[in-house]
Amino acid sequence: MSGPDVVVLDYGSGNLRSAERALAAAGASVRVTDDLSVAAGATGLVVPGVGAFAACMAGIEALGAGPVIADRVAAGRPVLGICVGMQVLFEHGDEHGVVTKGLGLLPGGVTKLPAPRLPHMGWNTVRAPGSSVLFTGLPADSRFYFVHSYGVTDPGALAATGATVTTAHHGTDFVAAVERGPLSAAQFHPEKSSATGAALLRNWLATL
């Protein structure tokens, strides 16, 4: 029996195959495609992303994928953003003094982490609230793999909108993951986070 139908959206960003392999290992029936009709119709949609916020937004806009992602969320159909694929869900990103408009599906912006050492690269623990679905069954000291210099550094404001916000700390508290209705996202890379990342992906797939 095949698992839930999941599309990894190919809009020119990297890291597609590792996401595909991790989702397949977690039990999904996965396709990597730039076909927006397939992305719109899939049971679950994964928006990956590595590199710069502006470059990822340019790829999404060139493909015309923004309305598809927004329409899925409005219709209550699951979307999972990963790394910069999470960041572009917010209203804007500020990199090197250049502000780029995001998809605006989550309130707030992405800015440079105020940390003495960047990028924030490697394993870090997260603090997930008891209401989190993504982190169900995971120990409180679970570690995930991060690679980023920018993040959402006002988790309280996001939580005030009714979102379930998981935080991590590097120089300051930042949003490590967010869950709001059909929209889920992680700043870390679950596909690079060994058994804990696999468990998180299984938890997401179980919601589909």
Side-chain angles (χ1 to χ4, degrees):
M1 186 174 71
S2 62
D5 169 35
V6 173
V7 159
V8 177
L9 184 65
D10 181 1
Y11 61 90
S13 178
N15 215 37
L16 301 174
R17 297 304 167 185
S18 59
E20 178 189 25
R21 288 192 297 269
L23 286 157
S29 175
V30 193
R31 284 176 286 179
V32 175
T33 184
D34 61 0
D35 186 323
L36 294 180
S37 63
V38 175
T43 305
L45 176 65
V46 174
V47 181
V50 294
F53 186 105
C56 285
M57 276 306 302
I60 288 171
E61 288 171 354
L63 185 60
V68 172
I69 298 168
D71 288 349
R72 284 188 62 98
V73 173
R77 310 205 57 209
V79 173
L80 174 66
I82 295 175
C83 197
V84 186
M86 173 186 118
Q87 294 180 0
V88 296
L89 300 173
F90 287 84
E91 292 169 325
H92 58 85
D94 184 347
E95 293 182 332
H96 309 295
V98 177
V99 177
T100 302
K101 185 178 179 183
L103 295 175
L105 300 176
L106 292 169
V110 178
T111 56
K112 190 173 184 179
L113 295 175
R117 179 175 49 83
L118 291 173
H120 172 221
M121 183 165 64
W123 297 86
N124 201 349
T125 54
V126 302
R127 295 184 299 278
S131 56
S132 170
V133 173
L134 289 179
F135 295 88
T136 298
L138 285 167
D141 60 351
S142 294
R143 297 167 72 84
F144 295 87
Y145 190 80
F146 291 83
V147 185
H148 66 120
S149 297
Y150 296 82
V152 179
T153 58
D154 192 357
L158 181 58
T161 69
T164 298
V165 179
T166 294
T167 61
H169 189 89
H170 184 73
T172 188
D173 286 347
F174 65 90
V175 176
V178 58
E179 302 159 62
R180 192 168 79 168
L183 191 56
S184 302
Q187 176 63 69
F188 52 83
H189 287 278
E191 77 280 6
K192 296 180 180 178
S193 296
S194 190
T196 51
L200 182 136
L201 290 175
R202 287 194 298 270
N203 283 342
W204 181 68
L205 292 174
T207 70
L208 304 185

